[in-house]
Amino acid sequence: MPGRTVCARLSLVALSLTGLAAPLHAQTAQTAGRWPERAVRRDIPITNTIRRAYAAGTRDSTGRPGRNYWQIRTDYTINARLDAATSRLTGRETVVLHNSSPDSLGQIQLRLDPNIFLGNTPQAATWVPSEVTDGMIITRMTINGQSVDLAGPPPAGGDGARAAQAAAAAQNAVVPNQPTILGLRATTARVNLPTKLAPGSKTTLEIEWNHKIPGGPGVGHRMTQRWADTLYQPTQWYPRVAVYDDLRGWDNELYLGPSEFYNNFGRFDVSLDVPAGWIVTGTGILQNPEAVLTPNARERMKGVLASDKNTMIVGPDEVGPGQATQRGGPIAGSQGDRLVWRFVADSVNDFAWATAKKFVWEMTRATIPGKGAIPITMVYLPDRARLFERAGPIARHALEFYSKKWFPYQFPQLTLQDGPSSGMEYPMVINSNQGAADHETGHMWWPMVVSNNETWYGWMDEGFNQYMNILSDADAAGQAPNLDVLGQSYARTSGNEAEPPMMWLANYAGPQFYGFTTYSKTPLMLSMLGGIVGDSAVQRAHREWGTAWMFKHPSPWDYMFFMSKALKQDLGWFWYYWLFTTESVDGAIVKSTSTTGGRTTVTVRQDGQMPSPVVLEVKFASGSQPIRAMRNAVMKDAQTAIVTFPVDVWFSGNRTFDAVLDFGTRPIERIKLDPGCRFPDHDPSDNVWPRKPAAAAPAPAQQGQGRRATCD
Ligand SMILES: [Zn+2]
């Protein structure tokens, strides 16, 4: 999803925190009340989940996939028919479940996301959903040919859908010991199997289903999937087999709306039956262009990969069968002439598509290092062309920039689809115009290739994406990215007891902090990491981590341990404070004293629970005295040194540290703590020595705004 603004909420928090922090910091160390001792934690908490994986050898503390790493695979063949008159999608699917786990499975967990539109299922945000529907109706299900009892135990209520399912089930031959299902009216359901699925076995599920594609007034999120009966963006639209992994077994988390998905990789072979004249785009490669596209369209496509310019494939004045598409013909069960569009995608973790009675279709290209040119497709309504004017160049820049930054784009195409769901990502598909094109394209790296569990740890895709969007925006503007200030600004939020730690299950982060924790906080964390090891080192390590986990399911522990190893530092303390707590550093220069022999002692204090290295910028007065070299200092320019003392200086629990500067007799004009503004700090005004006069300090409300932009 696009990064949603949380500025309004943050500035409120900033105000209250600044109001609270100011009197504390105004006091000197001598007059302040006694602070609690600080015991710095230096290791990463290990939960039972990851403990289990280490014991089994599926993961290990290198952060790479373990020697016994496994993941299950699901291959889908789906045939679906859209009835535009009723906005109903009717489908039949075959899923081959490869049990690559070492476990015998007595259940299969299914994800039935359209049940979130029932109106009586749990939801995490008020914007879910737009339209109340009858949810996902499953009319038939077999497992290895054995029918599943869809009636289940006698229903508590008597709703129509349930009765319809019971009636459908009654038509199936009911046999003893047949599989049963629980949760058909929830977003996740469980099939109980009379015979367990052996390790290494293949199981075939056949499911027949239908649901109404939800419309409604909402825009800008994935919950509204159609405009009237002329444009559809079906997403999370077919019954999915949940992930079974080495960490938690079956993923049975409810789908609550904001927190997104966790899906298996596999092959999709999808045939979509729509009215003739309607254009269809989606995940994968179109298998039957001769059957559905006009000769004109196919001819125009031939030049797409030859240049960066846009090519019109189906123009605004080409409408209906014979103009926008082939003419089509009758198909049993449908009215009017129809066309079936067939798409195939290998190794993807989902499939999404769109269709409209009148799409304009443009194409351009991106050039992927080591791979060559790939097509970018854009489909939009004729009167929304201005929203796609810059979409091609933005998507191209994102594909090319992120390919260089992380690893080459892994898919054969990218498609941008217009519609009410504007700001969502699926493999090879973004429901986005130019507005969110950079961000949504970024998701092709995480979670579409590096496939984290988004429901639990949304920061591992949304947060990483927010960080790289900063880099991409700067690159597109021809500037160097500025990651200063971000880390320091976290202190405006830190300390609010409503903020969940990032390792908390994002499904339950709550509406107040979901956006901050999942989207905004990660760039702040990586800003601080860059303040310790350098931004280019962070990005190099991140690239190596992503490459190690392509088409796999990394956990946060894999990320933490991999990064520490790749950065050759024991960063346990860093990951602990950023991911498992909501603490800040709150550094200050207490005093600076010149001593004999050209030495200066700078007393630094940390009032927060999170430690940080002590980084001091020392600005010298002009003069003829030589500036002596210090082992832990680098000269930024002829007059300025940056001195760094490692985080270890805090590990004994002390809250003050005497940093001894040994630069010789050249007078020091000014010392600044944390010159890059990378470490969370409620009150940066006390980071400078000599202190600025109190009267010159900005008022608390203005401090919050001033700090956001600059680091001076
Ligand atoms: Zn996103």
Side-chain angles (χ1 to χ4, degrees):
M1 295 192 79
R4 273 165 290 147
T5 174
V6 287
C7 296
R9 184 177 69 237
L10 279 182
S11 55
L12 279 177
V13 173
L15 275 176
S16 64
L17 285 177
T18 313
L20 192 113
L24 290 175
H25 284 265
Q27 297 171 39
T28 64
Q30 285 75 34
T31 62
R34 192 178 162 78
W35 282 71
E37 296 295 313
R38 178 166 79 163
V40 175
R41 181 163 178 172
R42 299 171 56 187
D43 63 343
I44 295 168
I46 302 291
T47 66
N48 291 343
T49 292
I50 195 72
R51 202 179 292 278
R52 205 156 34 231
Y54 289 161
T58 52
R59 295 162 202 264
D60 62 42
S61 61
T62 64
R64 291 179 179 274
R67 66 190 184 285
N68 297 330
Y69 180 83
W70 54 265
Q71 64 194 30
I72 67 165
R73 176 185 171 94
T74 48
D75 297 323
Y76 289 80
T77 306
I78 307 177
N79 290 274
R81 186 181 74 240
L82 172 67
D83 179 31
T86 58
S87 294
R88 212 158 184 91
L89 200 57
T90 303
R92 190 179 72 245
E93 71 187 37
T94 302
V95 192
V96 179
L97 161 60
H98 305 258
N99 179 17
S100 332
S101 84
D103 305 330
S104 296
L105 305 178
Q107 284 118 13
I108 297 173
Q109 196 80 28
L110 297 178
R111 308 212 64 93
L112 308 175
D113 289 8
N115 280 337
I116 200 168
F117 303 113
L118 281 168
N120 59 3
T121 43
Q123 295 155 12
T126 50
W127 49 263
V128 182
S130 292
E131 180 184 7
V132 172
T133 71
D134 53 357
M136 175 66 92
I137 308 292
I138 292 183
T139 53
R140 180 173 165 271
M141 190 185 312
T142 67
I143 295 179
N144 284 337
Q146 192 180 15
S147 67
V148 177
D149 176 9
L150 295 174
D159 68 81
R162 186 78 186 163
Q165 279 170 346
Q171 291 174 6
N172 292 337
V174 177
V175 292
N177 287 329
Q178 80 178 125
T180 56
I181 185 164
L182 279 175
L184 270 176
R185 302 274 77 197
T187 51
T188 179
R190 169 163 290 196
V191 181
N192 290 303
L193 305 169
T195 313
K196 289 190 172 183
L197 312 179
S201 65
K202 269 199 299 192
T203 303
T204 302
L205 291 83
E206 287 183 33
I207 307 175
E208 291 178 14
W209 48 270
N210 64 82
H211 63 87
K212 186 180 184 189
I213 298 175
V219 289
H221 56 73
R222 77 184 86 95
M223 294 304 158
T224 301
Q225 298 180 4
R226 67 183 168 88
W227 272 328
D229 55 1
T230 53
L231 182 151
Y232 295 87
Q233 288 173 301
T235 52
Q236 302 131 257
W237 54 283
Y238 57 95
R240 292 185 287 199
V241 173
V243 172
Y244 182 86
D245 71 16
D246 58 319
L247 298 170
R248 301 188 177 87
W250 285 112
D251 172 36
N252 56 12
E253 267 305 305
L254 293 173
Y255 174 55
L256 299 179
S259 298
E260 293 172 355
F261 323 117
Y262 187 31
N263 292 323
N264 298 302
F265 284 102
R267 181 177 194 268
F268 282 77
D269 185 336
V270 179
S271 295
L272 300 163
D273 166 3
V274 301
W278 290 47
I279 284 168
V280 183
T281 52
T283 303
I285 295 289
L286 180 64
Q287 300 295 302
N288 57 342
E290 294 80 9
V292 295
L293 303 180
T294 64
N296 277 345
R298 279 179 278 140
E299 189 57 34
R300 292 165 192 165
M301 271 179 194
K302 285 180 183 165
V304 164
L305 297 183
S307 88
D308 280 353
K309 71 179 192 341
N310 282 11
T311 304
M312 188 65 77
I313 307 299
V314 178
D317 49 356
E318 294 173 295
V319 185
Q323 293 272 324
T325 68
Q326 292 280 26
R327 295 207 163 273
I331 292 179
S334 304
Q335 290 190 329
D337 287 342
R338 311 278 296 183
L339 284 170
V340 177
W341 299 58
R342 182 169 166 235
F343 295 85
V344 169
D346 285 308
S347 298
V348 288
N349 55 17
D350 204 354
F351 186 103
W353 55 291
T355 187
K357 192 171 187 174
K358 181 58 217 126
F359 263 150
V360 175
W361 181 345
E362 279 193 275
M363 292 180 83
T364 184
R365 70 165 183 185
T367 306
I368 308 301
K371 234 176 136 169
I374 60 149
I376 298 171
T377 289
M378 294 164 279
V379 286
Y380 54 85
L381 296 188
D383 60 351
R384 290 165 58 82
R386 69 191 160 75
L387 296 173
F388 284 81
E389 274 168 5
R390 294 184 297 114
I394 292 172
R396 171 168 46 248
H397 178 267
L399 287 169
E400 295 175 354
F401 178 76
Y402 297 137
S403 286
K404 280 180 260 176
K405 185 63 56 188
W406 310 125
F407 49 78
Y409 181 60
Q410 291 295 301
F411 301 122
Q413 59 106 344
L414 180 73
T415 297
L416 287 73
Q417 304 178 153
D418 194 12
S421 164
S422 61
M424 262 313 289
E425 67 280 5
Y426 299 91
M428 302 182 220
V429 162
I430 63 176
N431 285 337
S432 175
N433 54 47
Q434 61 208 18
D438 180 66
H439 176 89
E440 307 308 343
T441 302
H443 280 302
M444 298 303 129
W445 279 260
W446 13 85
M448 299 315 163
V449 171
V450 181
S451 183
N452 64 303
N453 183 338
E454 299 171 82
T455 318
W456 277 75
Y457 309 114
W459 60 269
M460 290 182 74
D461 62 295
E462 298 295 359
F464 290 160
N465 204 354
Q466 295 289 106
Y467 175 78
M468 65 202 239
N469 300 158
I470 296 169
L471 311 182
S472 176
D473 286 350
D475 185 76
Q479 295 165 353
N482 181 7
L483 294 160
D484 286 348
V485 189
L486 297 176
Q488 185 179 80
S489 74
Y490 172 58
R492 293 206 296 268
T493 307
S494 166
N496 184 329
E497 57 193 11
E499 186 201 346
M502 286 161 87
M503 288 297 285
W504 183 246
L505 168 51
N507 238 2
Y508 305 105
Q512 187 190 349
F513 271 99
Y514 172 75
F516 178 78
T517 305
T518 303
Y519 288 77
S520 311
K521 191 172 171 182
T522 303
L524 314 187
M525 172 176 82
L526 295 180
S527 164
M528 171 153 170
L529 188 56
I532 300 167
V533 300
D535 294 322
S536 58
V538 172
Q539 290 155 31
R540 173 193 51 82
H542 196 90
R543 173 170 66 241
E544 291 171 10
W545 173 76
T547 307
W549 285 94
M550 284 166 68
F551 298 103
K552 294 190 172 69
H553 303 302
S555 77
W557 289 270
D558 302 320
Y559 179 71
M560 295 181 255
F561 285 115
F562 190 102
M563 292 293 281
S564 292
K565 284 263 181 328
L567 293 166
K568 297 185 172 59
Q569 285 205 27
D570 181 0
L571 291 165
W573 64 274
F574 179 88
W575 304 120
Y576 169 69
Y577 285 98
W578 273 99
L579 294 173
F580 292 86
T581 83
T582 57
E583 307 288 358
S584 61
V585 175
D586 292 332
I589 295 179
V590 178
K591 60 176 196 255
S592 173
T593 330
S594 293
T595 46
T596 52
R599 293 185 173 194
T600 300
T601 300
V602 185
T603 303
V604 174
R605 182 174 170 83
Q606 290 190 346
D607 283 334
Q609 301 307 98
M610 178 195 283
S612 76
V614 174
V615 183
L616 296 170
E617 182 186 79
V618 181
K619 188 153 190 348
F620 299 96
S622 33
S624 56
Q625 305 95 321
I627 298 169
R628 243 188 342 238
M630 275 183 71
R631 200 164 40 84
N632 55 338
V634 291
M635 294 305 290
K636 186 176 160 189
D637 56 47
Q639 302 278 93
T640 318
I642 304 285
V643 195
T644 302
F645 299 86
V647 67
D648 309 49
V649 304
W650 304 108
F651 288 168
S652 60
N654 48 309
R655 284 195 177 275
T656 57
F657 167 69
D658 284 342
V660 177
L661 308 181
D662 191 13
F663 286 110
T665 53
R666 174 84 71 92
I668 291 172
E669 202 171 84
R670 179 174 174 264
I671 302 168
K672 189 181 178 197
L673 176 66
D674 183 19
C677 304
R678 300 288 186 127
F679 308 146
D681 195 347
H682 284 131
D683 181 10
S685 72
D686 58 16
N687 290 1
V688 181
W689 195 270
R691 287 283 175 82
K692 286 179 185 160
Q702 291 160 346
Q703 279 181 353
Q705 291 158 4
R707 262 180 274 144
R708 194 168 301 163
T710 58
C711 179
D712 290 322

